[in-house]
Amino acid sequence: VEDGLDKLSEDQKQLLAKKKEQEKKIELWKVQRRREERELEQAARAEEIDRARQEREGELFREWQEQEGQFHLEQARIRSEIRIKDSRENPIDLIAYYIYNADNTAVEIMGEPLSVVDNLGLDDLEDLQADIRVYMDLDKNQTEKIFWTDLEIVCKEQIRLVNARMKVDQNPRNSINAAVNGDVANIFKGKTSSQLEDMHKGIQEKLKKQGPIDVSYWENVATQAHVAISRTRLQERHQQITKKKDYVARSKAT
């Protein structure tokens, strides 16, 4: 008889049948396992392809946003220059012309930012702040972004000061707060932006320790130090710009 099964007892035959059945189950399990692994691999590849596609689409969208932002920035600059040529410029036009021609030694600088901000009334300051925020959103150049951020901080503070002066005019008792702010401002005079940044960090550390200090006073000092950093940074950049232009002018004269 085939395979010598006739020599096996019934128990041995049953045991052999069970073994073969078990082997079939194991083989079937292996086949199912390999199919599941292939399905997982295919799903992983599909997920990876989908992720790569999404990343590429996101990159293309960011590039489109940057290009669109650059286009709107360029349009804003052109409109500013047109208004200047037509002698109907707004404060933001002078400042935009100033910063975007900072490295152009052939162009005479105009609209030094702090002198513009310091000489505006409340309505013009609020308009200027809104215009500055447009440039903050459009300009992706890191150096210019710092410039616009500093200018917005200074403009915001100037709005606060104008409102404070109006309150003093309405109620002389508010002059006490104005005097305190003036004393605090004197602390920052003559210091570089780096020195002011160190001072600001020291004040923040003092506030974190929560020791026996006048918290409201030091919070006010921290706020004004933040403004002083921006104001001083704008002054330092203006000095660099004028120094460079003066140097080029002297070189051409000799």
Side-chain angles (χ1 to χ4, degrees), residues 184-238:
V184 171
N186 288 330
I187 300 173
F188 309 130
K189 284 185 177 179
K191 290 182 171 57
T192 65
S193 59
S194 296
Q195 290 171 331
L196 289 170
E197 285 173 354
D198 291 339
M199 182 180 290
H200 186 258
K201 289 177 185 176
I203 296 167
Q204 296 284 35
E205 289 299 321
K206 184 189 288 286
L207 287 166
K208 284 180 184 177
K209 290 178 181 177
Q210 298 180 339
I213 60 172
D214 187 338
V215 174
S216 61
Y217 171 80
W218 285 106
E219 284 179 344
N220 181 41
V221 174
T223 299
Q224 291 205 46
H226 187 58
V227 175
I229 291 168
S230 292
R231 180 174 279 272
T232 303
R233 202 152 44 203
L234 289 169
Q235 290 171 334
E236 290 171 349
R237 181 160 188 184
H238 181 64

Side-chain angles (χ1 to χ4, degrees), residues 1 3 5 11 91 117 136 141-143 197 215 219 239 247:
V1 180
D3 295 333
L5 291 176
D11 288 343
V117 174
M136 287 172 64
N141 180 286
Q142 191 58 33
T143 302
E197 285 173 354
V215 174
E219 284 179 344
Q239 289 169 359
Y247 173 78

Side-chain angles (χ1 to χ4, degrees), residues 26-254:
I26 292 172
E27 189 61 33
L28 182 63
W29 177 83
K30 287 180 179 179
V31 171
Q32 186 176 354
R33 181 66 182 272
R34 286 195 293 270
R35 184 171 63 248
E36 290 174 351
E37 287 176 349
R38 285 197 300 272
E39 289 174 351
L40 287 172
E41 288 175 0
Q42 290 172 353
R45 283 198 297 272
E47 185 178 345
E48 185 177 347
I49 291 170
D50 188 57
R51 185 168 55 249
R53 178 185 58 77
Q54 290 178 356
E55 289 176 356
R56 179 56 183 162
E57 287 177 353
E59 183 181 342
L60 289 172
F61 181 70
R62 285 190 296 273
E63 289 176 359
W64 174 80
Q65 280 187 314
E66 289 177 5
Q67 290 172 0
E68 185 183 39
Q70 188 62 35
F71 170 77
H72 288 303
L73 176 62
E74 196 60 35
Q75 290 300 302
R77 291 173 57 179
I78 291 171
R79 287 194 295 270
S80 286
E81 291 187 7
I82 290 172
R83 284 193 292 267
I84 290 172
K85 289 178 181 177
D86 293 344
S87 299
R88 52 185 181 86
E89 67 274 3
N90 298 319
I92 192 65
D93 298 327
L94 296 174
I95 294 172
Y97 187 85
Y98 163 90
I99 195 60
Y100 292 124
N101 286 283
D103 294 327
N104 187 349
T105 55
V107 175
E108 183 181 353
I109 58 172
M110 60 172 71
E112 194 273 308
L114 292 178
S115 66
V116 172
V117 174
D118 290 343
N119 289 287
L120 294 178
L122 183 60
D123 290 342
D124 286 336
L125 282 168
E126 290 174 344
D127 289 342
L128 177 60
Q129 185 181 39
D131 291 333
I132 291 170
R133 286 173 176 170
V134 171
Y135 277 95
M136 287 172 64
D137 184 54
L138 292 177
D139 200 333
K140 303 306 179 185
N141 180 286
Q142 191 58 33
T143 302
E144 313 307 354
K145 209 166 187 65
I146 292 172
F147 169 82
W148 291 116
T149 300
D150 283 339
L151 192 62
E152 197 275 336
I153 290 170
V154 171
C155 188
K156 182 179 178 180
E157 174 64 7
Q158 195 65 14
I159 290 172
R160 188 192 69 79
L161 291 174
V162 171
N163 281 319
R165 284 196 292 269
M166 290 169 63
K167 288 181 180 179
V168 170
D169 292 339
Q170 294 169 4
N171 187 350
R173 283 181 296 181
N174 290 319
S175 61
I176 296 173
N177 292 332
V180 171
N181 288 335
D183 291 339
V184 171
N186 288 330
I187 300 173
F188 309 130
K189 284 185 177 179
K191 290 182 171 57
T192 65
S193 59
S194 296
Q195 290 171 331
L196 289 170
E197 285 173 354
D198 291 339
M199 182 180 290
H200 186 258
K201 289 177 185 176
I203 296 167
Q204 296 284 35
E205 289 299 321
K206 184 189 288 286
L207 287 166
K208 284 180 184 177
K209 290 178 181 177
Q210 298 180 339
I213 60 172
D214 187 338
V215 174
S216 61
Y217 171 80
W218 285 106
E219 284 179 344
N220 181 41
V221 174
T223 299
Q224 291 205 46
H226 187 58
V227 175
I229 291 168
S230 292
R231 180 174 279 272
T232 303
R233 202 152 44 203
L234 289 169
Q235 290 171 334
E236 290 171 349
R237 181 160 188 184
H238 181 64
Q239 289 169 359
Q240 293 171 356
I241 291 170
T242 53
K243 189 179 293 185
K244 180 179 179 180
K245 288 184 180 287
D246 288 345
Y247 173 78
V248 171
R250 287 196 301 272
S251 298
K252 289 180 178 180
T254 57

